[in-house]
Amino acid sequence: MLHNFLYSEYSGWIIARVIATLLSTLFVTKIFRIIWGIFGRNTIYQKFIKNVLSAVIWVVGIVLALGRFPQFADAAAALIAGSGIVAITIGLAAQESLGNAFNGLFISISKPFEVGDRVHLVNSDITGFVEDITIRHTVIRTFMNSRIIVPNSVLNKELIENANFNSAQASSFIDVIISYGSDVPKACEIMANVIGEHRDFVDTRTLEQQQTNPKVPVFVRALGLYGVELRSSMWTASVSNNFIACSDARKNILQELEKERIQIATKTIL
């Protein structure tokens, strides 16, 4: 009975050491993430490396916790020493989890997108903003504020349309159809002024182009069935504010056309 009592006390001490090791691992991980958050940058590469190092800390912590049990002590020592880590890595090489890790590394190095970029996965027809990249997956926030978890191995094979790649500036067409007999030059002038004076409009001309090209070119797109079709472009600093800027411009253009008694074309029933 004394032996059983001592054994139970010994087992309790082992369990206490295991819990202490896991709590220490949690504490070290939290401190590491805090320090990384202070000195690191919010890039896709650094996010991936942060998550990899956090995973390594947890692996080491779990191995140390298992090493508290006498039957696992030798195996844990071998793993920490490195002789077992190579064997585990080779054993996992064919596993999907390690494939995701390597694909995540390739993505973070090649940088087809950054955190915050608006991307469209062509094959999967997924559109949203990149939030995070972990060892296993990349998190994309949709316009409905839901999160899509895409395995890195899948993402690395995707056709990715990135609205922010190289330049975050975005453009959308603004089309207006005025009736035949209307003052076309005046309508073009109104469109150019409204778009060019909008607070979010970005002038994309080079210094050389500014000498010859108008700030906001307006084109006669077509002589349509119902009227003269005019087209211009609204450039903004990013895609996130382009839709609202275009909406404002269309409303203001309509108001200015009405002031000048320029009619929007409508279908005529003969």
Side-chain angles (χ1 to χ4, degrees):
M1 180 176 292
L2 179 61
H3 177 269
N4 292 337
F5 174 76
L6 292 176
Y7 183 77
S8 62
E9 289 291 324
Y10 179 67
S11 299
W13 170 243
I14 291 176
I15 293 174
R17 294 178 67 190
V18 170
I19 294 174
T21 301
L22 293 177
L23 290 176
S24 299
T25 303
L26 177 62
F27 176 76
V28 171
T29 305
K30 293 289 186 183
I31 294 299
F32 165 74
R33 285 182 169 270
I34 291 173
I35 295 175
W36 191 281
I38 295 174
F39 296 101
R41 293 183 299 170
N42 195 34
T43 65
I44 201 74
Y45 179 75
Q46 291 206 11
K47 270 186 169 289
F48 178 78
I49 295 300
K50 178 188 70 174
N51 289 321
V52 168
L53 294 179
S54 297
V56 170
I57 293 173
W58 270 108
V59 169
V60 172
I62 291 173
V63 171
L64 289 174
L66 290 174
R68 303 304 183 186
F69 296 97
Q71 56 269 43
F72 297 123
D74 293 339
L79 286 173
I80 296 299
S83 60
I85 293 178
V86 175
I88 288 179
T89 302
I90 295 175
L92 291 176
Q95 300 298 316
E96 185 178 353
S97 57
L98 195 61
N100 283 322
F102 279 119
N103 280 286
L105 177 61
F106 296 148
I107 291 171
S108 65
I109 292 175
S110 60
K111 298 180 180 178
F113 50 76
E114 279 291 355
V115 175
D117 283 2
R118 178 180 179 270
V119 297
H120 174 64
L121 308 186
V122 178
N123 297 338
S124 305
D125 194 22
I126 295 172
T127 303
F129 297 90
V130 178
E131 275 200 342
D132 197 6
I133 181 170
T134 69
I135 297 177
R136 179 187 175 276
H137 58 257
T138 298
V139 182
I140 296 178
R141 173 173 54 85
T142 68
F143 295 106
M144 302 300 292
N145 203 35
S146 61
R147 271 66 178 175
I148 297 180
I149 311 302
V150 184
N152 292 328
S153 58
V154 174
L155 190 63
N156 204 32
K157 299 175 183 177
E158 271 281 357
L159 293 175
I160 302 175
E161 179 183 344
N162 187 350
N164 300 89
F165 196 76
N166 287 336
S167 174
Q169 294 177 349
S171 172
S172 293
F173 290 128
I174 294 182
D175 294 318
V176 174
I177 305 177
I178 60 175
S179 61
Y180 286 110
S182 297
D183 189 342
V184 174
K186 186 62 178 180
C188 292
E189 180 185 344
I190 289 173
M191 289 183 65
N193 290 338
V194 169
I195 295 172
E197 293 173 3
H198 193 279
R199 62 183 180 279
D200 291 329
F201 176 78
V202 173
D203 190 351
T204 59
R205 297 175 300 170
T206 63
L207 291 176
E208 182 179 350
Q209 291 173 336
Q210 289 178 10
Q211 306 300 321
T212 56
N213 296 354
K215 181 179 179 181
V216 182
V218 180
F219 304 97
V220 176
R221 178 171 175 268
L223 301 177
L225 181 61
Y226 306 116
V228 181
E229 300 180 10
L230 306 179
R231 168 172 286 183
S232 188
S233 297
M234 168 63 81
W235 282 92
T236 55
S238 67
V239 70
S240 60
N241 63 347
N242 190 266
F243 182 82
I244 295 177
C246 288
S247 176
D248 291 341
R250 292 186 183 101
K251 289 187 291 185
N252 293 336
I253 289 171
L254 180 59
Q255 291 176 357
E256 294 301 319
L257 291 176
E258 290 176 346
K259 290 180 182 178
E260 298 295 330
R261 300 184 182 277
I262 298 176
Q263 293 185 344
I264 298 294
T266 57
K267 182 178 180 179
T268 303
I269 302 176
L270 299 178

